[in-house]
DNA sequence: ACTTACCGTTAGTAATGACTTACCAAGTGG
DNA sequence: CCACTTGGTAAGTCATTACTAACGGTAAGT
């Protein structure tokens, strides 16, 4: 489930990562985020859409405003994806060292 | 150390991720990778440079060829970065649920 | 020495994407 | 009902970047 891979692409952009890092601490409304960032509010809105499509954040209506917060499931999926490579890279590296015995730069 | 954050940006590109996924299984030469991918050899070379600058792969000279393989340290740094958010997101989410008691879509 | 194979780099182009301005919809309070 | 707030969307611009073609450089084979 949540075979959402391109959460990586979503976190590649610096502005988007800044938004995500703030949301990691506590929920935020769109305008609140825009005030703390050097970009306009529509830009924040577009970034939040990307993060939402990537499954990294979820949003809720609060009267006039929309509250965004991190989705632990999305972060967990990314973590699982990276863990897969972590393990594969470790075994591949170990095999290469055993067979080749060479040290790389 | 290895405060290498933009390994994320390096893995954002689909072609680069395809290269990285192959290297996760075993070491490859540049020409080998180019044969399996729908892009030219110089493109693969450029992507490998980005991955190398991001600390995700390491390369070694083997006579005429260059062998690339995954750098476990780089993957580990990415994993550590994500783990930080994983924990923060979990606690933030827990706090939000406790205080608000609201379920999000 | 010549040819072939393998690879990195450069230059130039096409495509992707991040941003702002402007506009529109919905909720809130006088 | 009207003014204000809040936020998503559209259109257009500008920078970034992924790609190919062409070149040069080094190693291996004949």
């Amino acid at each position: 489930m949540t075979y959402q891979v391109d959460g990586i692409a979503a976190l590649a952009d610096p502005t988007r990562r800044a938004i995500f890092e703030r949301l990691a601490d506590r929920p935020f409304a769109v305008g609140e985020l825009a005030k703390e960032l050097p970009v306009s509010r529509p830009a924040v809105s577009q970034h939040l859409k990307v993060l939402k499509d990537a499954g990294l954040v979820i949003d809720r209506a609060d009267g006039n405003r929309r509250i965004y917060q991190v989705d632990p499931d999305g972060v967990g999926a990314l973590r699982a994806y990276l863990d897969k490579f972590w393990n594969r890279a470790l075994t591949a590296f170990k095999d290469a060292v055993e067979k080749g015995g060479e040290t790389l730069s």
Side-chain angles (χ1 to χ4, degrees), chain A:
Chain A
M1 40 221 59
T2 67
Y3 23 78
Q4 189 67 37
V5 176
D6 271 344
I8 297 186
L11 288 183
D13 183 71
T15 303
R16 223 143 46 208
R17 202 149 50 207
I19 293 176
F20 185 73
E21 291 184 4
R22 281 174 176 65
L23 291 181
D25 285 329
R26 68 171 181 87
F28 273 89
V30 181
E32 287 177 309
L33 289 169
K35 272 176 207 154
E36 299 192 6
L37 295 170
V39 295
S40 67
R41 188 194 49 76
V44 174
S45 217
Q46 292 164 359
H47 284 307
L48 284 171
K49 177 177 174 59
V50 174
L51 290 173
K52 183 180 177 182
D53 290 344
L56 291 176
V57 301
I58 47 184
D59 62 331
R60 156 186 35 127
D62 175 35
N64 209 9
R65 321 187 304 168
R66 292 206 76 86
I67 310 297
Y68 282 82
Q69 66 182 67
V70 170
D71 182 4
D73 293 339
V75 184
L78 257 184
R79 219 177 75 110
Y81 175 78
L82 264 237
D83 281 355
K84 193 176 63 183
F85 285 108
W86 167 261
N87 291 325
R88 287 211 282 169
L90 270 189
T91 62
F93 190 84
K94 208 182 86 179
D95 291 352
V97 169
E98 285 176 354
K99 296 191 175 179
E102 320 217 5
T103 316
L104 305 185
S105 58

